[in-house]
Amino acid sequence: MIHQLKTLVYLAGLSVLLNGCLRPVTPRTSTGSTQPTRDDNLALGNPSRATLNDPDNYLMAKSTYTLSYSRKRGIANWVSWHLSSAWKGDSPRTNEFRPDPTLPTGWYAAKTSDYTHTGFDRGHLCPSDDRDGSAEDNAATFLLTNIVPQAPRHNREVWKYLEEYERHLVANGNEVYVIAGTYGVGGTGQNGPASALAGGKLTVPASLWKIIVVLPTGSDDVSRISTNTRVIAVNIPNVQSAADKPWNAYVTSIDLLENQTGYDFLSNVSADVQRIIEARVDGGNS
């Protein structure tokens, strides 16, 4: 009898032990990664709701950036990309300016000769130096759908300094989301004013604008954007004299850019957060 009782106690204890071992384990709460990664270039939203069905708001998704292209204007409406140190490397500048072979059949594809002796630079929207992680990444920035007619001093001075500031932010422990685009018709290059190149096939924009969203390096980026997130917006006239001032002389708000372009920026961000950060004007450069 005593032996049977001991056996029952032993079996009961073993059952409790096994049940404890088999009970589902509660997953640990993730603290989020702080390692730089290559994230979705369109994570913050499609500002013009570009699709494959609209030739003047035509969505083109590359591995290195995403853009909306206008067949009528012959240039991009906007280009969107993510930048973190994961995109950076030491691959040299390829200088492979070339037509974009992915444009639909029958559409005019800009050629390098369209810019020759025009007084306008072949200006990048997504910069070459933002994509030097590999030769392939860098070469993608020289597709002429990522290039617009840009006043030389605008391209080589004020716009360049803004691009360098983006990379300065990344070098200091941040990642950024950037949307850059064109607005209007008519700029002033080295040879004076012009509204179009290549016999009217390529529009010379009146201004180039840019939005930069700054986040500490991490994961779940859209959910981390708050009313305290730094957002920089600029709109710089496409003229030689634009370079007479620093880029932060041209700061504006996202709200004003939306009113001008008709786009809806940061559409994947909470509406309550958008309301605050899109009204803000950030004039800093540090």
Side-chain angles (χ1 to χ4, degrees):
M1 184 70 177
I2 294 175
H3 177 72
Q4 289 177 336
L5 182 60
K6 286 182 178 180
T7 300
L8 288 172
V9 169
Y10 171 77
L11 290 174
L14 182 62
S15 175
V16 169
L17 179 62
L18 288 173
N19 284 338
C21 291
L22 295 174
R23 188 177 297 122
V25 178
T26 302
R28 293 182 180 179
T29 302
S30 174
T31 56
S33 171
T34 57
Q35 293 299 310
T37 55
R38 295 186 172 196
D39 296 328
D40 182 2
N41 292 306
L42 206 59
L44 305 192
N46 180 336
S48 62
R49 297 183 180 179
T51 70
L52 297 176
N53 301 317
D54 186 345
D56 292 320
N57 187 23
Y58 184 72
L59 185 66
M60 304 183 74
K62 315 290 187 184
S63 62
T64 43
Y65 52 84
T66 299
L67 66 97
S68 163
Y69 181 81
S70 171
R71 181 184 185 185
K72 180 180 179 180
R73 290 166 62 83
I75 58 174
N77 299 310
W78 52 261
V79 177
S80 179
W81 69 99
H82 171 256
L83 177 61
S84 72
S85 59
W87 290 99
K88 293 292 294 167
D90 56 7
S91 185
R93 181 182 172 98
T94 61
N95 276 326
E96 294 180 10
F97 290 100
R98 64 202 187 280
D100 191 331
T102 67
L103 284 170
T105 302
W107 289 23
Y108 182 76
K111 308 184 297 294
T112 56
S113 59
D114 291 336
Y115 288 82
T116 304
H117 305 308
T118 62
F120 287 91
D121 279 2
R122 295 166 295 189
H124 284 73
L125 291 176
C126 177
S128 164
D129 283 355
D130 282 11
R131 293 292 185 259
D132 57 4
S134 70
E136 182 181 11
D137 287 350
N138 190 259
T141 68
F142 289 88
L143 290 169
L144 289 170
T145 45
N146 181 48
I147 304 299
V148 300
Q150 193 170 3
R153 288 192 62 210
H154 187 296
N155 180 39
R156 303 172 198 179
E157 297 178 48
V158 62
W159 195 251
K160 173 189 174 184
Y161 301 146
L162 178 56
E163 292 173 340
E164 290 175 348
Y165 184 63
E166 296 164 24
R167 293 188 286 272
H168 166 78
L169 290 168
V170 170
N172 281 276
N174 298 292
E175 59 185 309
V176 298
Y177 286 88
V178 189
I179 310 166
T182 58
Y183 178 77
V185 178
T188 303
Q190 228 165 9
N191 302 338
S195 59
L197 308 183
K201 295 183 178 71
L202 307 182
T203 295
V204 176
S207 69
L208 280 75
W209 52 263
K210 180 173 285 188
I211 295 168
I212 305 168
V213 179
V214 187
L215 290 169
T217 300
S219 57
D220 300 321
D221 295 338
V222 175
S223 67
R224 293 191 297 126
I225 297 175
S226 72
T227 55
N228 295 317
T229 297
R230 186 178 182 195
V231 174
I232 305 165
V234 299
N235 191 16
I236 308 178
N238 189 21
V239 297
Q240 290 283 77
S241 60
D244 292 342
K245 299 176 183 178
W247 65 260
N248 59 355
Y250 300 99
V251 292
T252 185
S253 69
I254 292 179
D255 279 344
L256 287 174
L257 284 178
E258 287 183 333
N259 288 340
Q260 187 176 53
T261 61
Y263 298 155
D264 180 13
F265 298 111
L266 314 187
S267 58
N268 287 347
V269 176
S270 157
D272 290 337
V273 172
Q274 285 187 63
R275 191 176 305 112
I276 302 299
I277 63 177
E278 292 187 359
R280 187 180 298 150
V281 176
D282 185 320
N285 62 352
S286 60

